[in-house]
Amino acid sequence: PADDTTMFIFGASGDLVKRLLVPSLYNLDRDGLLDQGMTIVGVDIAEHDDESFRKHLKDFIADKAADKHAEGGGQELDEEHWQDFARRIHYLQGDFTESNVFEQIKGHIEQADSDNALFYCATAPRFFGDIAEGLGKADLMQEGDNRYRRLVVEKPFGHDLESAKALNAQLLEVMKEEQIYRIDHFLGKETVQNILVARFANVLFEPFWNNHYIDHIQITAAETVGVEQRGSFYEKSGAMRDMVPNHLFQLLAMIAIEPPAAFGADALRSEKAKVLGALRPWPRDEVRKNSVRGQYRAGQLNNDDVPGYRDEPNVAEDSNTETYVAMKMMVDNWRWVNVPFYLRTGKRLSARDTEIAICFKPAPYAQFRGTDVERTASNWLIIQIQPNEGMWFDFQAKRPGPELEMDTVKMGFAYKDFFDLPAATGYETLIYDCLTGDQMLFQRVDTIENSWRAVQPFLDAWAEDDSVEGYDAGSEGPQSAHDLLGRDGREWHKIGEVTGPGVA
Ligand code: BG6
């Protein structure tokens, strides 16, 4: 198990804590990965004592587990284990913009068996700076021979390059980079971590993984949900800030990095920083041509009518916030010259589908002249992140019969055929890594800033012209997104279409 520590969660009464953080801690506890003495202290302004805070968490988690169980998935909450786990949880009421709360935290640590502390910012981003400052002033980030002090920061990490730099500077004033854990929950997904294993534990892929054999790469994160109850947050964020410099660029980095010289946090993150630093920042006048900004209109999903974005709660009637973005990115380095990376993400699309589609170049010589396939079709490798986790490879085979005809067929690996994907939130690994001091899956100062640098030209251009193109909820996104690839003689891989062996 991880070393004994006290974990302080700022913003404890918020959504993330009951939906993801506490359930992950519960799962880690179930698997015997938490130290017996470890305590979890929720810090927030809402009124609670230990008992009412535990009840608030338990009611939500038990209801959710029961609903899932009723739908035929997962277990109901184990009462006995919950009681055992809940003894770890405490509550400290306070305003983290005031110094008093940090003095109380200090008192708490002095009473604890261990001097270690993990501070987790699960608050609105505007508090991150105040929290870091408060921790610094109260001398809470000083490490010693036998104690660590770490800070976990949720996204969004800044809202543009300048604010991300300012936030980094503010954190680095009171702590070292080695103490900062900037979370990107996509990196907690097994299928995302598996990209590295697929690439670097096999000889098969790497020889083809470059501009000689790859035509282009598509990265898609399509969602069927709308903005749900997060209208006021989303209005300020939009799809670009919400998904691109973090989740999509992390997927891109996993695909595009050079093999790290060592399997360690810094070696890996240095490679990521290089690749993200090689993303071409489009000149302002080329942004529109290389991107699409969309917003969903009312439409139908799974036979239900769903409202348009502008009719969602806490969204302005004339809002021009984008709920969809597609873009073409170039990685200006030796390996990826002339290989476009097309990225797209959006809400209220036709299917939930996070995938990386790698399109290889056609065979160099059309050997089979006179057949129905004059020009050999491309090979595709589809890495399906979620749902239907797995990898599928399209290739050509001869159709049986006296005439030489070809068809595209598939080889596939579905996780569920080989592994049990444990019931997990995706946060377990990340929290465990914070507790054991492994920064491999966390963003470093330079990966954050390089990502914002590549996104900044889009934000600047859209600040001048924020027009959005409508798309129907339940569709595959705006027409211009199809044109973006069409102009290059390419097509998007169909959203939600993964077929092949082992697909549910
Ligand atoms: C979050 C975004 O970071 O990622 C959400 O804020 C989005 O808007 C979510 O829905 C997607 O994550 P997942 O794990 O459901 O694909």
Side-chain angles (χ1 to χ4, degrees), residues 11 33 35 46 51 57 115 140 161 272 274 279 286 341 372 388-389 421 428 479:
L33 294 171
D35 183 89
E51 271 319 310
L57 296 169
D115 232 4
L140 280 161
L161 178 60
K272 285 187 175 178
K274 280 190 229 166
L279 283 171
E286 289 187 37
F341 285 71
D372 61 340
N388 288 324
E389 292 86 351
L421 278 175
E428 287 80 358
Q479 179 54 40

Side-chain angles (χ1 to χ4, degrees), residues 21 34 48 109 201 297 369 405 479:
L21 296 190
L34 302 183
H48 271 304
I109 298 178
R297 294 187 285 251
R369 280 176 206 284
E405 287 179 355
Q479 179 54 40

Side-chain angles (χ1 to χ4, degrees), residues 234-291:
Y234 203 83
E235 277 282 88
K236 289 189 236 91
S237 162
M240 177 66 107
R241 291 185 168 92
D242 191 34
M243 296 293 288
V244 176
N246 30 63
H247 307 329
L248 294 196
F249 278 6
Q250 283 300 312
L251 296 181
L252 181 148
M254 292 295 229
I255 291 293
I257 54 168
E258 296 301 317
F263 189 64
D266 272 319
L268 178 72
R269 296 185 303 169
S270 297
E271 293 306 332
K272 285 187 175 178
K274 280 190 229 166
V275 137
L276 294 167
L279 283 171
R280 184 182 305 169
W282 291 114
R284 184 83 65 91
D285 57 346
E286 289 187 37
V287 166
R288 273 283 165 190
K289 191 173 81 193
N290 288 301
S291 66

Side-chain angles (χ1 to χ4, degrees), residues 155 185-186 189 223 230 242-243 247 347 352 386:
K155 71 178 260 282
H185 84 276
F186 262 46
K189 295 182 193 289
E223 300 186 275
R230 302 160 72 220
D242 191 34
M243 296 293 288
H247 307 329
K347 302 227 177 253
R352 176 163 180 256
Q386 62 190 16

Side-chain angles (χ1 to χ4, degrees), residues 199-214:
R199 284 190 59 195
F200 302 137
N202 296 295
V203 75
L204 194 64
F205 300 108
E206 213 43 31
F208 303 98
W209 215 257
N210 55 52
N211 65 77
H212 298 294
Y213 296 99
I214 293 182

